[in-house]
Amino acid sequence: MIARVSLEIALRKEFDYLVPPGLVGRVEVGSRVQVPFGPRKVLGVVTALAAESAHAKLKPILKTIGTQTLVTPKVLKLTRWIADYYCCAPEIALKSVLPEVVRREESGWRERLFVRALPVNGEFPKLPKRQQEVWHIIEERRELPLAELLTLAQTTAATVKRLEDRGLIEIAPQISERDPYAREHILPSQPLPLNEAQAAALVRITTAMHGADDQSRMVNAESVEPSKETASSFAARHSSFLLHGVTGSGKTEIYLQALDYCLSRGKGAIVLVPEISLTPQTVERFKARFCHGPQQTLVAVLHSHLSAGERHDEWHKIRQGRARIVIGARSAIFAPIEPLGLIIVDEEHEHTYKQEEAPRYHARDVAIVRGQMESAVVVLGSATPSLESFYNCKRGKYTLLELPERVDNQKLPHVRVVDMRQAARKEKGNLIFSPQLKEAITQRLERGEQTILFLNRRGYSTSLQCPLCGYVAECPNCSLSLTYHRPEQNLRCHLCGHREPVPAACPNEKCRNPAIRYAGLGTQRVEDTLARLFPHARVKRMDADVMKRKDDYRRVLGDFRTGKIDILVGTQMIAKGLHFPNVTLVGIIYADLALHQPDFRAGERTFQLLTQVAGRAGRGDVEGEVFVQAFTPFHPAIQYARRHDFVGFYEQEIEFREQLKYPPISRAALLTLKGRNEEKVKFSAEHVRRELDRLTKPGGRASSPLPAAGQNDDGAHGVTRPTFNDLVIAGPAPAPLPRAETFYRYQLMLRTRAMSKLSQALAGIMAALTLPEDVTITVDIDPVSLS
C-alpha cells in the first residue's frame, strides 16, 4: 500500500511513501505520520492511499502519531478549498486545522496518581485513627486524585500508602483531563418562551435542519441532472441564514434551542464567537443549558486563553465524540465534529474572524463552505451585519431572518449625540467628559446603577510632543507615534512592542524644551480622570494592558455582574456579547476615532461599533441611555447608529460601494510587499504590477513558467494566463502604514467579481515570481483591513 503524505514543510507537493507491513490497518487518510525526508525525520498527514506509485524505491513510513486519525476526510477536503481560494500552500492550510499542541509528536495527556477503593474481602482490619479518617474520605468518594486526598485529609502520602499495603485501596496513574471550567459551579437553565419573531426564526432554522438529509441526497445526484440548479447552490441558499436582530432581541436563545434540536437529531454543532467576545459569560450560558446531569462533557471550548494542556484535552474530547457542541474563536471552525448539523457564527461582522497570517481565511466564509460541503445549516447572527452578508441576502444567497424588537418589550436605549466642538469651546484643556455625560454618570452613581465607558484606544496619552519645535516621539521601527503609559512611566509602540523611557526634555538637540507635553488620551487617562471626578466610585479598566491572565476576564466581569464595580472603562473587548441588566448608561468617549482612516470600511466599522456598544445599555427594567461624544456628529455612520437604523445605513453605504466597485459589489485581493530597503520594495512592487497587467490583456502570456492551479508544471514556457474583463488594479503605493516592525511596505489592490479564478491566476504568478531575497510578498484574499 502507498500513502500520499503532505509534509509540514511548505513545498506545495505531496510525497509517496510505502506503508510497512507493521502499519497496515493503522495508516488511514488523515493519520499523522513521521517519515524520512532526506537526512531528516519530519511529520506529515496522509492525504490519500493508493495501490501503486509512479515512483520507484519508496521510503517507508517510520511511525504513526497517536492512535486515532486527527484530520477527518471532510476537514481535509475543506483545507484543499482553503489552499485554492486563499492562495496559500496546501501544507499551511492543513497545518492550521490542528492546534499546535495536538500536532506534537509526543502525547499531550497528563497522568496523575489516583486513589481507588477496593472491595473488602473478609473482616475489615482495625486501623489507626489517622488511617481511619483517610479511609472514610476514600470510602465516600470511591475514587479521587491522590493530591486532592492529601489536601482534604491533611495527611501524607506515606499514610495513604499504608492503606494500599493493607489491600484496601489501589494507587495507580490515570489520565487526568484539564477542564478550564472544572472549578465553575454553573446552575442549569431551562428554555425560555419565545416571542413571535423568535419562534418564526427558529422554525425556519429547524425546518432547514430537517431537510438537510434531502439536500445531501440532491448533492449526490448532481452528476445525474447537471442541467438543473445544482444541489449545492440550492443547499447554500436554503441552509444559510442571516439572523439580523437588534441588540437584546434574544438571538442567543434561538441559538440554544436550535442547538437542542440539532442534538436531538444525533448531530453535533459548532458555535463561533469572536475572540474578543468569548467571555466566561458567553460560555456559561451554553454550559448552563447543556452541561448538567449525564451531559457533563457535552460542550467543549477552544480559544487562545486556554493553556496548551487544556486545548489538547478539549480538542481530543471533540475528536473522540464525547463533546457534541464546540464553542470557540475562528479556528474552532475546523473542529472534528461528526456528523455536523449546525454552525452558528455569532457577531458575524467581526473582523477578528479573519486570520492575519497564512492561511488568511475568513472563518465566516469557511463556515458557509463547510456547511455546504457537509449539508449542515449555517446561521450568521448580528445586530449589525457585514455589508457582504446583507448583500448576499438581497441576492438570494442567504435567507434573512429578522428580530426587530428587544425581548420582554424592553426599549432600545435612547442615544444622544454630543457635539464635542461646542463643548470644547466652553471648556479649556483636553476635554474628556462633556458636561452632559458627567451629569449622567453622577445620576447613575446616586441611583446605584452601573455605567460602561468606551474608548477604543489604550494607554494614557497617544503621543508625546514638543509645543515649541513640534517634535513628536515616534517608534524607530514603525510609522507610528509612541503611546505614553503612565503606570510604567514609559513610551510604547502598540505595533512592534518597542519601549523607551519618557524623556525629561525635548530630545531635539536644538530645542531641549523641558515643557514637553502629552497629547490625546487613552483608557488609562479616562480611568485616572474618573478617580479625580468621582473619588467614591469603584472604577475598573478592561484593556489589553491589564487583561493578561486567562482568569482576568472572568474575575472583572464577575465583579461587575455582582455590583462590586460602578464604572467599567474599556476598549472594544467590552463592546459586545455582555449582558448586565443594571447597566443603564453607556458613554462613548470619542465616537469618530476610526472614521477618518484610509479604509473604505471605516464608516461601516464605526456604525457597527457604536451600535454594539450602545446595545449594552438598558437590558434590565430601566431604560438605557447612551451618550455619543463626537467631533463630526453629523456623519452618516453616527446618525444612523443613533437611530439604530441598519437598513438606512446599508442603503446609503452600498450606493457608495457600487460607484467605486468596492466589496461586496466585487471581491478584493491585497498584495503587500515588504523589505528593509524601500527602493527595492518599490521596484519589486512595480515589477509585480507589470505581471498583473498581463491579466487584463486578452491572450496575455506569462514571462516565466506558470503551472496551472492544482497541476504539475509541465516545463512549458510562455503559458497563456486567464484574462479578466472586470479586473481593476490599484497601485503600487505605500501602505497606509508605510513602515512596520522595520519593514517598508507597498501594496497593490485588485478587484474583480471572479475571485476564485483570480486566486488561481495569482497562485501561478506567485509560483513564477522572482523577487530579491530580502523582499517578500503576501496575498490576502478578501482583506478586512487595508493597513
Side-chain angles (χ1 to χ4, degrees):
M1 187 186 291
I2 309 300
R4 197 146 290 149
V5 179
S6 175
L7 306 180
E8 285 195 348
I9 44 181
L11 298 172
R12 292 182 179 268
K13 288 182 182 178
E14 293 176 343
F15 296 86
D16 289 354
Y17 285 89
L18 191 68
V19 179
L23 295 181
V24 172
R26 291 173 56 191
V27 173
E28 301 173 334
V29 173
S31 294
R32 292 266 296 161
V33 293
Q34 185 188 69
V35 295
F37 190 77
R40 294 184 289 166
K41 296 176 182 178
V42 297
L43 299 179
V45 175
V46 176
T47 57
L49 295 173
E52 55 185 33
S53 171
H55 305 280
K57 296 182 180 179
L58 295 180
K59 293 181 180 180
I61 292 173
L62 299 176
K63 65 177 181 179
T64 58
I65 307 299
T67 58
Q68 188 180 25
T69 59
L70 298 184
V71 183
T72 65
K74 290 175 180 176
V75 172
L76 187 60
K77 182 182 176 183
L78 185 65
T79 62
R80 289 193 171 116
W81 177 85
I82 288 172
D84 287 344
Y85 183 76
Y86 289 104
C87 203
C88 73
E91 299 86 0
I92 294 176
L94 192 53
K95 200 173 175 180
S96 69
V97 306
L98 294 175
E100 192 272 333
V101 66
V102 175
R103 293 200 309 269
R104 291 176 187 165
E105 184 178 346
E106 67 278 3
S107 173
W109 294 106
R110 179 182 67 176
E111 284 195 345
R112 296 172 68 188
L113 290 175
F114 272 72
V115 177
R116 182 168 64 90
L118 297 175
V120 178
N121 297 318
E123 188 178 345
F124 191 83
K126 188 174 182 180
L127 300 175
K129 183 181 177 183
R130 197 76 194 94
Q131 293 180 30
Q132 187 78 39
E133 291 170 352
V134 175
W135 167 252
H136 285 322
I137 296 173
I138 300 170
E139 187 180 34
E140 182 183 345
R141 295 283 293 273
R142 304 308 299 173
E143 186 177 56
L144 74 165
L146 175 61
E148 186 178 340
L149 175 63
L150 298 180
T151 303
L152 286 173
Q154 295 184 332
T155 187
T156 63
T159 303
V160 181
K161 185 72 172 65
R162 292 189 188 101
L163 290 174
E164 185 181 36
D165 295 339
R166 291 175 180 269
L168 296 175
I169 64 170
E170 178 188 52
I171 304 174
Q174 287 185 28
I175 288 175
S176 174
E177 289 193 350
R178 291 150 288 199
D179 183 352
Y181 293 88
R183 296 180 182 178
E184 293 294 312
H185 180 64
I186 301 173
L187 297 175
S189 69
Q190 298 300 320
L192 302 174
L194 304 179
N195 61 30
E196 189 176 338
Q198 286 176 301
L202 182 62
V203 167
R204 297 292 296 276
I205 295 167
T206 54
T207 302
M209 277 192 270
H210 186 71
D213 294 337
D214 295 336
Q215 290 173 359
S216 182
R217 284 194 290 272
M218 287 181 67
V219 172
N220 294 331
E222 277 182 30
S223 57
V224 181
E225 299 181 90
S227 60
K228 295 185 178 180
E229 176 189 28
T230 64
S232 58
S233 65
F234 177 90
R237 196 158 52 81
H238 293 280
S239 296
S240 299
F241 296 95
L242 174 61
L243 183 60
H244 175 213
V246 298
T247 55
S249 58
K251 293 186 288 294
T252 303
E253 185 60 32
I254 294 176
Y255 300 157
L256 291 167
Q257 296 195 25
L259 288 167
D260 194 38
Y261 182 84
C262 179
L263 293 175
S264 72
R265 292 184 58 79
K267 295 192 174 184
I270 296 172
V271 181
L272 296 187
V273 184
E275 182 79 46
I276 214 157
S277 296
L278 197 60
T279 60
Q281 187 183 49
T282 305
V283 176
E284 283 167 16
R285 292 178 74 175
F286 286 89
K287 281 186 170 280
R289 187 66 56 91
F290 299 107
C291 288
H292 50 86
Q295 300 174 319
Q296 282 294 328
T297 59
L298 196 60
V299 177
V301 183
L302 293 174
H303 61 86
S304 64
H305 290 291
L306 300 181
S307 68
E310 288 169 343
R311 203 173 300 131
H312 171 277
D313 293 357
E314 292 287 286
W315 192 91
H316 280 284
K317 194 191 298 181
I318 301 162
R319 184 66 187 100
Q320 292 166 5
R322 291 183 290 131
R324 304 301 298 141
I325 297 173
V326 179
I327 303 174
R330 60 175 175 262
S331 61
I333 190 56
F334 303 117
I337 286 277
E338 288 189 317
L340 181 63
L342 177 64
I343 304 174
I344 293 169
V345 185
D346 192 29
E347 308 291 4
E348 63 86 24
H349 64 278
E350 268 297 319
H351 66 90
T352 52
Y353 282 127
K354 177 74 170 175
Q355 177 93 343
E356 292 182 355
E357 60 276 337
R360 293 175 173 79
Y361 66 90
H362 197 301
R364 177 197 63 214
D365 299 338
V366 174
I368 294 290
V369 173
R370 184 172 182 184
Q372 196 172 324
M373 286 179 173
E374 301 190 33
S375 296
V377 172
V378 181
V379 179
L380 312 178
S382 179
T384 54
S386 63
L387 262 67
E388 286 81 358
S389 294
F390 204 76
Y391 182 71
N392 280 332
C393 289
K394 294 290 186 182
R395 294 177 63 204
K397 278 190 169 185
Y398 304 163
T399 300
L400 180 63
L401 306 174
E402 296 198 270
L403 304 175
E405 296 177 351
R406 283 187 160 184
V407 294
D408 298 331
N409 298 315
Q410 293 172 351
K411 293 182 179 179
L412 286 166
H414 184 70
V415 181
R416 305 179 191 277
V417 179
V418 180
D419 188 343
M420 292 298 281
R421 296 170 301 180
Q422 295 183 7
R425 291 190 195 106
K426 298 174 185 176
E427 300 273 344
K428 291 184 178 180
N430 195 350
L431 186 63
I432 299 176
F433 300 111
S434 63
Q436 298 96 314
L437 179 55
K438 211 181 299 182
E439 176 60 28
I441 295 172
T442 303
Q443 291 174 3
R444 267 53 182 198
L445 291 171
E446 290 171 352
R447 298 203 296 253
E449 296 167 2
Q450 291 173 300
T451 299
I452 287 178
L453 297 177
F454 171 80
L455 176 64
N456 206 19
R457 184 179 279 167
R458 57 194 175 97
Y460 188 86
S461 295
T462 51
S463 64
L464 181 72
Q465 61 187 48
C466 175
L468 289 184
C469 71
Y471 167 86
V472 175
E474 293 185 341
C475 176
N477 307 320
C478 312
S479 304
L480 282 177
S481 60
L482 295 171
T483 300
Y484 171 52
H485 285 251
R486 190 169 184 175
E488 300 85 0
Q489 283 295 308
N490 64 22
L491 299 172
R492 195 181 305 174
C493 175
H494 288 168
L495 189 65
C496 71
H498 169 80
R499 300 183 185 201
E500 59 184 61
V502 178
C506 176
N508 185 347
E509 292 292 338
K510 297 179 180 177
C511 178
R512 309 302 295 175
N513 174 26
I516 193 165
R517 68 186 183 196
Y518 308 107
L521 75 152
T523 48
Q524 286 182 5
R525 187 167 181 182
V526 172
E527 181 187 33
D528 192 55
T529 305
L530 283 169
R532 292 200 307 270
L533 292 174
F534 308 103
H536 301 295
R538 295 165 298 177
V539 180
K540 199 70 181 177
R541 174 165 56 93
M542 277 187 74
D543 58 30
D545 293 325
V546 290
M547 298 289 110
K548 293 180 179 177
R549 293 187 303 230
K550 65 180 182 180
D551 290 332
D552 287 343
Y553 285 90
R554 191 178 308 176
R555 178 177 47 79
V556 174
L557 294 177
D559 288 348
F560 194 55
R561 182 191 303 168
T562 54
K564 296 178 183 177
I565 299 170
D566 298 317
I567 304 173
L568 186 64
V569 181
T571 54
Q572 60 180 353
M573 64 176 61
I574 65 168
K576 42 196 89 69
L578 302 180
H579 178 84
F580 296 112
N582 197 38
V583 173
T584 60
L585 174 65
V586 167
I588 299 168
I589 307 299
Y590 283 168
D592 38 15
L593 265 182
L595 257 184
H596 310 295
Q597 291 180 348
D599 191 324
F600 68 90
R601 287 194 179 93
E604 180 184 2
R605 285 213 191 95
T606 298
F607 171 83
Q608 290 167 343
L609 201 53
L610 297 187
T611 306
Q612 292 286 347
V613 178
R616 301 313 104 204
R619 287 173 168 251
D621 298 329
V622 181
E623 186 177 353
E625 192 174 22
V626 180
F627 283 87
V628 178
Q629 299 185 159
F631 288 92
T632 51
F634 299 108
H635 191 282
I638 294 175
Q639 287 300 317
Y640 282 115
R642 180 179 70 84
R643 297 194 293 269
H644 308 281
D645 183 6
F646 170 78
V647 175
F649 174 78
Y650 170 84
E651 288 173 350
Q652 68 90 32
E653 183 71 12
I654 204 72
E655 188 178 334
F656 147 68
R657 305 280 180 95
E658 283 174 342
Q659 289 173 357
L660 298 175
K661 299 294 184 290
Y662 277 129
I665 307 305
S666 65
R667 309 297 281 269
L670 188 68
L671 276 59
T672 303
L673 294 94
K674 64 179 185 178
R676 290 195 167 91
N677 184 310
E678 186 175 10
E679 285 303 312
K680 273 189 184 180
V681 176
K682 183 181 178 182
F683 176 80
S684 301
E686 290 166 349
H687 171 64
V688 172
R689 172 63 193 252
R690 287 191 292 272
E691 290 293 308
L692 294 172
D693 282 339
R694 299 171 190 271
L695 297 176
T696 62
K697 298 172 184 176
R701 301 182 71 79
S703 59
S704 49
L706 287 178
Q711 299 178 1
N712 291 326
D713 182 6
D714 61 6
H717 287 249
V719 178
T720 302
R721 286 181 172 146
T723 57
F724 297 81
N725 296 325
D726 68 336
L727 183 62
V728 177
I729 306 174
L737 188 65
R739 190 164 176 256
E741 300 177 89
T742 73
F743 290 97
Y744 291 95
R745 305 159 75 243
Y746 273 70
Q747 290 180 341
L748 297 103
M749 188 179 188
L750 294 78
R751 302 198 296 278
T752 180
R753 289 178 183 269
M755 183 50 73
S756 294
K757 182 180 171 186
L758 179 61
S759 293
Q760 292 185 6
L762 287 174
I765 291 173
M766 294 303 110
L769 196 63
T770 303
L771 294 175
E773 283 186 9
D774 51 352
V775 175
T776 59
I777 184 169
T778 59
V779 179
D780 190 359
I781 306 295
D782 299 330
V784 298
S785 173
L786 304 184
S787 61

